[in-house]
Amino acid sequence: MRKVILIILDGLGYGKARDYLGNVEGWVASGEGRVWKMRSVLPSTSGPCYASIHTGVVPQEHGVLTNYEHLRRVGQPDIFSAARAAGRTTGTVAHSFFSTYFQRAPFDPVRDLEVDDESLPIQHGRFYTMASAHGGNLSVPDDRDLFAQVTILGHRFGVDYILVHTCSTDSVGHAYGQESIHMDNQIYQVDGALSVYLPRWRAAGYDVIITADHGQTPRGHHGGSTEIMREVPLYYFGEASGPAEDALLCQTQIAPSILALLGAPVPGTMRSKPFLG
């Protein structure tokens, strides 16, 4: 059985990732990692994609169709609940939406911002809200701090599955546009943070998956059906077998693939075929 870290780089489309993640692409070129193109669900919006990534079903089935009108606990089995049922430990460093969808709702910062509770689906949670975000303050947590928290969870609790989600690329893309120097610099910073922590996670025995929820148009928009909004990267660092490099993956394949890596039974609701074996 493997341990897995899933990294969601919010709003980072396939083309931008392949062009600007220099360290990650260097590891792919050296054979230490692999990369595929993946297509997001529709709508290509954060909340629906978060829910589909973890439940393996489309938004029209799990019911999360926007970012703000459907803030409730998702009803289908998800990676966290299935991993817990199989006796694996879970952790998260992510936006509070993930607590709402997979832990409990509504999100209460005093109760839920930091959680260590063996009885919950997400046993070890470190969440942020970005509640004060506005045009003059993006309220984006530093990626290095988030990745450090992931490392702490692994060391302190030996967590088997850890999700880390960063809004930095999405927020900068919305504020300044995908084709701005600000976006270029932010991807450079994310890549630099990965250069520090990804080798540490691999040395600690984790398989690492890097992907995104959706892409963005040059004007910083997403939600629709065009390729630039839906196509995202899926990088994998580990020893499991995978498909041919030209395979087009579906976002609903992530959940069953991670559970297969964890050695946990895949719920019947997750009908997409795992791409990692």
Side-chain angles (χ1 to χ4, degrees):
M1 293 186 295
R2 293 176 167 88
K3 299 191 295 183
V4 180
I5 291 173
L6 172 65
I7 305 166
I8 298 178
L9 304 179
D10 205 301
L12 186 60
Y14 180 82
K16 296 294 286 190
R18 299 302 311 270
D19 289 346
Y20 287 90
L21 288 177
N23 281 294
V24 176
E25 287 289 324
W27 286 317
V28 171
S30 69
E32 297 177 65
R34 283 169 280 174
V35 62
W36 297 274
K37 182 183 290 184
M38 173 170 281
R39 185 166 290 158
S40 81
V41 295
L42 286 171
S44 54
T45 304
S46 293
C49 291
Y50 301 161
S52 290
I53 287 170
H54 275 81
T55 62
V57 303
V58 297
Q60 293 70 31
E61 188 171 346
H62 60 59
V64 179
L65 301 173
T66 73
N67 279 352
Y68 298 105
E69 279 80 15
H70 305 91
L71 289 176
R72 54 174 173 71
R73 181 76 163 80
V74 173
Q76 288 80 7
D78 58 77
I79 298 174
F80 300 106
S81 62
R84 289 292 299 118
R88 309 307 301 273
T89 54
T90 59
T92 303
V93 179
H95 193 281
S96 59
F97 280 6
F98 288 90
S99 176
T100 300
Y101 294 149
F102 308 114
Q103 188 91 297
R104 53 195 174 191
F107 183 82
D108 179 346
V110 175
R111 179 190 65 180
D112 298 321
L113 208 63
E114 182 173 334
V115 174
D116 293 299
D117 187 335
E118 295 295 325
S119 69
L120 294 174
I122 304 174
Q123 297 164 291
H124 305 288
R126 307 292 184 264
F127 297 101
Y128 57 89
T129 67
M130 296 175 61
S132 298
H134 58 82
N137 174 22
L138 299 185
S139 295
V140 177
D142 188 88
D143 297 313
R144 287 171 174 80
D145 292 347
L146 299 181
F147 294 169
Q149 287 182 303
V150 170
T151 309
I152 291 168
L153 290 184
H155 287 172
R156 186 174 296 170
F157 302 106
V159 180
D160 298 312
Y161 172 64
I162 306 176
L163 162 72
V164 55
H165 161 263
T166 170
C167 277
S168 64
T169 45
D170 185 69
S171 295
V172 171
H174 282 305
Y176 300 104
Q178 282 282 306
E179 301 307 317
S180 65
I181 186 61
H182 306 287
M183 185 64 170
D184 296 349
N185 287 336
Q186 185 55 44
I187 302 172
Y188 178 78
Q189 292 297 327
V190 172
D191 186 65
L194 288 168
S195 77
V196 174
Y197 285 99
L198 195 147
R200 293 184 64 165
W201 298 333
R202 293 289 291 136
Y206 285 94
D207 285 15
V208 178
I209 297 171
I210 304 173
T211 190
D213 49 351
H214 54 74
Q216 284 188 7
T217 68
R219 291 185 295 185
H221 179 69
H222 57 89
S225 61
T226 63
E227 291 181 354
I228 198 168
M229 288 187 271
R230 294 188 69 190
E231 290 183 350
V232 298
L234 192 293
Y235 294 94
Y236 172 64
F237 296 84
E239 286 69 49
S241 60
E245 63 181 18
D246 61 349
L248 178 61
L249 306 179
C250 177
Q251 206 164 48
T252 57
Q253 293 179 272
I254 293 178
S257 298
I258 289 177
L259 290 175
L261 293 177
L262 292 171
V266 176
T269 52
M270 298 181 186
R271 296 181 293 275
S272 296
K273 183 180 179 180
F275 61 88
L276 294 171

